[in-house]
Amino acid sequence: MLVAKRKKKQMDLSIYLNMIFSAAWYLIPIFIFAFIIKSAWFKGILGEWQVNLLIKFFLDKDNYHLIKNVTLPTFVDDKEHGTTQIDHIIVSKYGIFVVETKNMKGWIFGSENQKQWTQQIYKHKSKFQNPLHQNYRNIKTLKACLNAKNESIFSVIIFIGDSTFKTEMPENVRFARGGIKYIKSKTDIIFNEQEIANVIAQIASGRLTRSFKTNRQHVKHVKEIVKEKSDTKPCS
């Protein structure tokens, strides 16, 4: 009788354990999904997708030609040295617009000349690189590839997400549709149709092939830059 009761308890325990493990298998994908949507990678992808929609809906595709996710090799002393990645390049008769996307929330503090800007969510503050400085590298590389004049390339920073500017921002740092408004504010004709076609062809020939390997190499290069900066000590 005692042996039978023990067996029954063991059977009941195994049933409960099986139920728990079965439920866990359903929960694992949910936890993975929650982790992904909270990651910086996903926020970046989502922000770029939102800016893509803004450009497609509010800029005439006959006049503004969008090129997405362009990875270009950078050079130091005529030698290839890493890569730079551009979210969006818009080529038009009014110039070339290099767009950097920021998907962030909270209050944003910054000015044109500050190396780092501040994001504040409730009482928590964190620093991030001035996106104007970040985009400067992109523009410098693109200008070298195209042999273009400074006045033909415009830097545009578009913030997406539940964020609010708490300091006065430069005119080319805008929120959502404000970035489209800034692009449309440039009305002086810089390129003719043939020059536009040439610029698009040059970017297509100079960009690195979009692939996992290209993206991995770019991420590795960015991490090396961050490490070099963190390891650098100020001169005494």
Side-chain angles (χ1 to χ4, degrees):
M1 190 74 175
L2 186 60
V3 173
K5 287 184 178 180
R6 285 180 179 175
K7 286 185 177 180
K8 187 176 183 303
K9 286 182 179 180
Q10 288 175 351
M11 288 177 65
D12 291 341
L13 181 61
S14 64
I15 291 172
Y16 288 132
L17 288 174
N18 286 332
M19 290 174 62
I20 292 170
F21 284 128
S22 297
W25 280 112
Y26 287 106
L27 291 174
I28 287 172
I30 296 174
F31 285 127
I32 293 174
F33 178 74
F35 174 78
I36 290 174
I37 63 174
K38 289 183 178 181
S39 68
W41 171 83
F42 182 81
K43 289 178 181 178
I45 294 294
L46 181 61
E48 290 178 24
W49 176 75
Q50 289 176 288
V51 171
N52 284 341
L53 292 181
L54 286 172
I55 293 169
K56 289 181 178 179
F57 282 126
F58 299 107
L59 289 178
D60 181 3
K61 65 180 181 180
D62 292 329
N63 291 320
Y64 297 90
H65 307 275
L66 173 62
I67 308 172
K68 300 180 292 183
N69 299 321
V70 178
T71 303
L72 296 172
T74 55
F75 295 86
V76 175
D77 297 328
D78 296 326
K79 294 182 179 180
E80 189 171 333
H81 182 71
T83 60
T84 189
Q85 203 168 60
I86 304 174
D87 295 338
H88 308 87
I89 300 175
I90 301 170
V91 183
S92 77
K93 60 184 176 181
Y94 309 112
I96 303 165
F97 300 89
V98 180
V99 182
E100 174 68 24
T101 303
K102 291 294 178 187
N103 185 4
M104 305 182 77
K105 62 180 180 179
W107 291 351
I108 307 297
F109 301 83
S111 65
E112 185 173 1
N113 296 321
Q114 283 180 312
K115 288 185 178 180
Q116 291 186 316
W117 287 7
T118 302
Q119 175 191 35
Q120 181 174 345
I121 302 174
Y122 299 108
K123 293 183 179 181
H124 177 72
K125 294 182 180 180
S126 58
K127 299 288 186 180
F128 63 99
Q129 185 183 3
N130 182 338
L132 289 168
H133 294 180
Q134 185 178 349
N135 213 26
Y136 173 77
R137 173 184 170 87
N138 295 337
I139 290 175
K140 186 178 178 181
T141 302
L142 184 61
K143 187 176 75 171
C145 291
L146 300 175
N147 195 24
K149 296 179 180 179
N150 288 333
E151 56 269 23
S152 67
I153 302 182
F154 301 96
S155 175
V156 187
I157 311 299
I158 297 181
F159 276 78
I160 292 291
D162 187 18
S163 57
T164 304
F165 299 141
K166 300 302 287 186
T167 51
E168 186 176 351
M169 293 291 175
E171 65 169 352
N172 59 335
V173 179
R174 301 290 184 93
F175 183 81
R177 284 186 63 180
I180 303 299
K181 186 177 180 180
Y182 171 78
I183 292 171
K184 286 185 173 181
S185 72
K186 304 301 178 182
T187 56
D188 292 338
I189 295 177
I190 296 174
F191 299 121
N192 58 38
E193 291 299 322
Q194 185 57 54
E195 289 170 330
I196 291 172
N198 290 342
V199 168
I200 294 173
Q202 282 180 279
I203 294 172
S205 64
R207 72 190 298 180
L208 298 177
T209 303
R210 290 180 62 182
S211 67
F212 175 76
K213 181 180 179 182
T214 298
N215 187 66
R216 185 178 60 186
Q217 289 174 339
H218 174 69
V219 171
K220 180 182 177 182
H221 178 61
V222 171
K223 287 181 178 178
E224 287 173 353
I225 292 173
V226 172
K227 186 176 185 300
E228 286 175 4
K229 288 183 178 180
S230 63
D231 290 343
T232 302
K233 297 180 180 180
C235 298
S236 55

